[in-house]
Amino acid sequence: MIKVGVLGLQGAVREHVLSVEACGAEAVVIKRKEQLDEVDGLILPGGESTTMRRLIDKYDFMDSLKEFAQSGKPMFGTCAGLILLANNIIGYDEPHIGVMDVHVERNSFGRQRESFEADLDIAGVAEDFAAVFIRAPHIVEAGENVEILAKHNGRIVAAREGRFLGCSFHPELTDDHRLTGYFVEMIKESKQLTI
Amino acid sequence: MKTGTDRVKRGMAEMQKGGVIMDVVNAEQAKIAEEAGAVAVMALERVPSDIRAAGGVARMADPRIMEEVMGAVSIPVMAKARIGHIVEARLLEAMGVDYIDESEVLTPADEEYHLNKKDYTVPFVCGCRDLGEAARRIGEGASMLRTKGEPGTGNIVEAVRHIRKVNAQVRKVVGMNEDELMTEAKLLGAPYELLLEIKSLGRLPVVNFAAGGVATPADAALMMELGADGVFVGSGIFKSENPAKFARAIVEATTHYQDYKLIAELSKELGTPMKGIEISSLAPEARMQERGW
């Protein structure tokens, strides 16, 4: 059975676990870096990216996350998780994990009162995906190898670069598991490649 | 495109789970909190223990404090409005505050009615001592709950009482037959539809944080152990001897609340926590948890 890790330092961990299970895979909450060896792919959940970064540093997670990214196993970042994956964060000198060739802007739709729901057409996933955006970032610029999966009002809100998948919104907050299912398929494909 | 939906408002609180929300009174404290790993800050004029000491009427903070704090940090900023004070809440919403706490820590503006929180785009958090109170607040549109505890005392006993009570009552509702729920709704003073929802979900439909009396890393971990989704720390941090260290230790203890060796390590050489107050020494009218209906 496919094992999907969910980084469990802070944020919407339970919702991702339920979503992974709904897609027929096993979910593992990752609180210690040693646990990364157990899983075939990793979800970086929504939460507060500043807080997650502090905890990642505190527990010496960063090198292990970078190694995981280099190992060929897929990673999926939602909202704060997308910020962790991006190789450029507007207004900041350094990226976090920095493995996905996108420039992201934090809180780019505004404060909480500007947070919203919208229906999205996500290429290869769904034409009518109810997406929940909360103090969300967006992808300002994507590298040439990045496949743009969805836009909202002209802004890129979901993209894939090889084994890395990122989105601005929170698929874990609804009962629509199609995007998580898409990620589980990515993991299955990558496992077949390694075998 | 829709703003202010239940999913957007409740979802915001979901993102705070496993985290610590800290009371701050200026930009400098807000930065210390963010640096320590807080998931949000609560901008106030005075922390609860100072409100308690000052007496008189406690109101919404000066908007300049909110502005200063919002300008200083990138994490969400919450602020408190008096129970039932429609205009304080509207002001905070207009200023762009990310979450409003309709709080018993301030002097209530209405002794009968809480805000109709469904009317607002900004989400609300409210205090509760039992499931009836929790369900009434959700019924009015609260998107997040917290225990009331007894604010500004540094004494965890009331917060423990409240989280145990709510969770025991949730378990009872989940285990009941559907034909028993209307009577239970009557007894609790809770909306019937909400009890049906709790039964089908197996839990509350919104997150429930601990608040009111958290003074040490072990207190924060205790509340997580008892099923809180995260922790508010009011006076506990900036009334301690070494706020930055205290703040970091409370964040870590909340993340790893079952790692007792780590919490023991964190608790070493922290300096003196805030001085506490024994609840029985408080006059009934000084108990903030009795406010709210």
Side-chain angles (χ1 to χ4, degrees), chain A residues 10 31-32 58 111 117, chain B residues 5 15 98 252 255 259:
Chain A
Q10 191 272 315
K31 284 207 165 199
R32 302 254 162 234
K58 184 82 202 173
R111 301 193 73 95
E117 281 184 42
Chain B
T5 61
M15 296 311 135
D98 296 300
E252 274 192 71
T255 309
D259 189 337

Side-chain angles (χ1 to χ4, degrees), chain B residues 206-286:
Chain B
V206 302
V207 303
N208 189 14
F209 270 47
V214 177
T216 66
D219 287 346
L222 169 64
M223 295 307 293
M224 295 298 287
E225 182 79 47
L226 293 174
D229 290 309
V231 179
F232 281 89
V233 188
S235 322
I237 289 169
F238 291 98
K239 286 286 157 189
S240 72
E241 204 177 331
N242 187 340
K245 213 168 164 185
F246 235 88
R248 283 197 300 272
I250 287 187
V251 168
E252 274 192 71
T254 303
T255 309
H256 292 289
Y257 62 92
Q258 286 177 319
D259 189 337
Y260 309 116
K261 270 188 189 159
L262 175 85
I263 299 169
E265 209 48 49
L266 291 171
S267 305
K268 279 183 195 165
E269 295 165 30
L270 266 187
T272 318
M274 69 178 284
K275 190 176 181 300
I277 299 174
E278 162 55 31
I279 304 296
S280 60
S281 71
L282 284 177
E285 62 275 16

Side-chain angles (χ1 to χ4, degrees), chain B residues 118-267:
Chain B
K118 287 189 168 140
D119 263 4
Y120 297 73
T121 307
V122 66
F124 280 83
V125 54
C126 287
C128 61
R129 290 170 299 177
D130 55 42
L131 183 57
E133 207 170 16
R136 290 192 293 279
R137 296 297 85 81
I138 298 170
E140 292 154 357
S143 311
M144 179 182 190
L145 295 169
R146 55 171 174 75
T147 60
K148 283 182 161 176
E150 190 53 47
T153 60
N155 189 340
I156 199 67
V157 67
E158 295 301 309
V160 167
R161 191 191 318 282
H162 300 161
I163 196 107
R164 279 200 181 271
K165 182 82 180 278
V166 170
N167 288 343
Q169 289 174 316
V170 166
R171 283 194 298 274
K172 184 178 174 204
V173 164
V174 171
M176 284 177 121
N177 286 326
E178 209 172 299
D179 49 14
E180 296 167 328
L181 284 183
M182 185 58 86
T183 299
E184 187 67 8
K186 182 182 86 174
L187 295 173
L188 289 172
Y192 170 67
E193 287 70 22
L194 206 61
L195 295 193
L196 286 174
E197 192 183 354
I198 289 168
K199 180 171 167 57
S200 85
L201 285 172
R203 58 174 171 82
L204 289 168
V206 302
V207 303
N208 189 14
F209 270 47
V214 177
T216 66
D219 287 346
L222 169 64
M223 295 307 293
M224 295 298 287
E225 182 79 47
L226 293 174
D229 290 309
V231 179
F232 281 89
V233 188
S235 322
I237 289 169
F238 291 98
K239 286 286 157 189
S240 72
E241 204 177 331
N242 187 340
K245 213 168 164 185
F246 235 88
R248 283 197 300 272
I250 287 187
V251 168
E252 274 192 71
T254 303
T255 309
H256 292 289
Y257 62 92
Q258 286 177 319
D259 189 337
Y260 309 116
K261 270 188 189 159
L262 175 85
I263 299 169
E265 209 48 49
L266 291 171
S267 305

